[in-house]
Amino acid sequence: MAVLVGGIAASHTPTIGFAVDRDKASDPVWAPIFESFQPLRDWIDERKPDVLLFVYNDHVTSFFFDHYSAFTLGVGEQWAVADEGAGARDLPAIQGDPAFAEHLGRSLMADEFDMSFFQDKALDHGCFSPLSILCPRSESGWPVRLVPLQVGVLQFPIPTARRCYRLGQALRRAIESYPEDLRVAIVATGGLSHQVHGERAGFNNTEWDQRFLDLIEQDPEQLADMTHAEYAELGGIEGAEVIMWLIMRGALSAQVKCTHRSYYLPSMTGIATAIYENQSAPPAPSEQRRRAEKVSAQLAGAERLQGSYPFTIERSVRGYRINRFLHQLVVPGFRARFLADQEAEFERSQLTPIERDLIRRRDWRGLIQYGAIFFMLEKLGAVVGMSNLHIYAAMRGQSLEDFQQTRNAPGALYSVAGKDAGALQWDSPAVTPAAA
């Protein structure tokens, strides 16, 4: 079973990454930052977590306001460094843990947290600024895997402090019910007091910062009851992001042991670091069994539905590349290039030989079994002039005529093809000989 080895907290200001990249460890101005992070680095080296569950907020780098989520969990295989305006930092990508992330997602949804999930997004300084000083790395990569949990704290309304605390409690249940042997540390980032906009830019409150550090250890319930306006008054509008620390704190036991705490205010943001260790026993086996049953309850029995393939996170991760390729067919320029030379687009997108073959042969059933979702198939059908009904028939291994006889309106053919559709070749057979 997975073990939650403890929680650590750290500010994620970009000044940290700046100091690391420019080797400022011996500079008197920057040295306190390195000194404050060294105990965290030693703790990770000693406790050797396999995975860091990283709670952070993106700074409108990879997430924009066209779709802004409260809680979104990274389920991808790898996380690259984001370019925040003048080139990405010279850091290697870090590996994810899709299987563990999927379990977290299923468990949180079972606890009625309506999560969003993401893949293939670069992580900005919210993650890589503290990570670059927390862990050693080499050209071969990092000594840990990372599962990012992005919290939308920039566009109000944002999650309440209480909701963050309860999410942390749900995360603990999720971590401790994961059936594989895994050592997990939860990392909370952000804060402390700061404001970076308006006439109040440059606001700090060191007295509040110290009080917050006392309360997060000793009385998180008091912090969970505070409003966003109270956090903003005490710590600045952007400083309200410290509610993310409550996610980490909620994942730990009621009583914790703080083995390290530091604070330094060099410029705009109060930089704090802390380590917290659980003071409670792991859950009983009976509790773990009940948890496992709750997590799997919603899809229990679905495996008996012959010819059905629920689009789970596992399938989404496995089929991400081919789904992304087919999704680009909604872009007119890509659509035109695909119709002109699909082989060139296969090469440009680095599809595998299997993926190329499935698309080349229009193997609709094979695409579904591989991990494509149907709604990419109907886009491909619309582009190449095949109706939805052709695709349905092919997936069932039937001729279009035989499938149509099972419908109430046998003559109805349709697709999602829009105004740019060419001649619809709906007199073509539904099943190609190679795919039958």
Side-chain angles (χ1 to χ4, degrees), residues 133 235 322 335 376 422:
I133 197 171
I322 200 167
R335 196 160 57 232
M376 297 303 108

Side-chain angles (χ1 to χ4, degrees), residues 195-266:
Q195 185 159 324
V196 296
H197 81 275
E199 292 84 347
R200 206 183 182 212
F203 172 81
N204 297 109
N205 186 344
T206 55
E207 182 179 351
W208 162 243
D209 288 343
Q210 295 297 342
R211 178 65 176 151
F212 176 82
L213 291 170
D214 290 338
L215 291 173
I216 198 75
E217 175 189 350
Q218 301 164 11
D219 192 6
E221 286 285 343
Q222 187 176 147
L223 293 175
D225 284 337
M226 289 175 55
T227 68
H228 299 139
E230 289 171 325
Y231 275 103
E233 180 182 5
L234 291 167
I237 294 288
E238 284 78 26
E241 70 186 8
V242 293
I243 60 173
M244 295 189 295
W245 286 41
L246 283 165
I247 298 175
M248 175 274 296
R249 186 64 181 86
L252 304 178
S253 56
Q255 301 298 318
V256 294
K257 180 180 180 182
C258 180
T259 62
H260 165 74
R261 168 175 158 177
S262 71
Y263 178 81
Y264 178 51
L265 178 57

Side-chain angles (χ1 to χ4, degrees), residues 389 404-413:
L389 281 295
Q404 288 287 73
Q405 293 308 307
T406 69
R407 305 297 96 190
N408 291 330
L413 295 178

Side-chain angles (χ1 to χ4, degrees), residues 164-176:
C164 288
Y165 190 55
R166 288 176 175 160
L167 176 61
Q169 293 170 326
L171 277 170
R172 181 180 181 182
R173 294 189 291 270
I175 293 166
E176 293 182 338

Side-chain angles (χ1 to χ4, degrees), residues 23-156:
D23 196 19
K24 297 285 188 179
S26 58
D27 187 314
V29 173
W30 302 96
I33 295 176
F34 292 86
E35 292 166 3
S36 67
F37 273 87
Q38 190 59 50
L40 277 62
R41 189 178 177 113
D42 293 341
W43 185 86
I44 290 174
D45 184 59
E46 176 187 345
R47 296 306 180 99
K48 292 182 170 50
D50 302 300
V51 175
L52 299 180
L53 175 53
F54 229 85
V55 184
Y56 83 109
N57 68 283
D58 175 84
H59 299 82
V60 201
T61 302
S62 294
F63 295 84
F64 193 65
F65 302 120
D66 55 346
H67 185 116
Y68 199 68
S69 299
F71 301 120
T72 180
L73 185 69
V75 299
E77 296 178 327
Q78 182 174 269
W79 307 109
V81 184
D83 184 335
E84 299 186 59
R89 295 176 63 198
D90 189 17
L91 297 171
I94 187 168
Q95 295 301 305
D97 194 324
F100 177 57
E102 178 180 20
H103 172 82
L104 294 180
R106 291 170 58 212
S107 183
L108 292 173
M109 294 290 276
D111 277 342
E112 301 182 357
F113 281 90
D114 299 324
M115 303 297 296
S116 295
F117 303 98
F118 71 94
Q119 303 179 56
D120 197 30
K121 288 187 180 295
L123 308 181
D124 73 2
H125 72 263
C127 272
F128 276 104
S129 191
L131 182 67
S132 63
I133 197 171
L134 283 173
C135 296
R137 74 270 182 192
S138 63
E139 292 184 0
S140 61
W142 302 80
V144 294
R145 300 187 295 279
L146 186 141
V147 172
L149 173 60
Q150 202 279 144
V151 185
V153 294
L154 300 184
Q155 175 181 276
F156 290 90

Side-chain angles (χ1 to χ4, degrees), residues 307 309 362-368 373-379 381-382 386-407 409-410 412-417 426 428-432 435:
Y309 309 89
R362 318 291 192 244
D363 184 351
W364 308 109
R365 184 194 295 177
L367 282 162
I368 289 290
I373 193 169
F374 168 76
F375 305 100
M376 297 303 108
L377 271 56
E378 70 175 358
K379 290 174 175 55
M386 297 194 74
S387 78
N388 280 35
L389 281 295
H390 281 82
I391 300 171
Y392 302 144
M395 288 191 294
R396 285 167 57 126
Q398 292 180 311
S399 68
L400 176 63
E401 292 73 20
D402 288 345
F403 178 68
Q404 288 287 73
Q405 293 308 307
T406 69
R407 305 297 96 190
L413 295 178
Y414 59 87
S415 82
V416 296
W426 287 357
S428 301
V431 185
T432 63

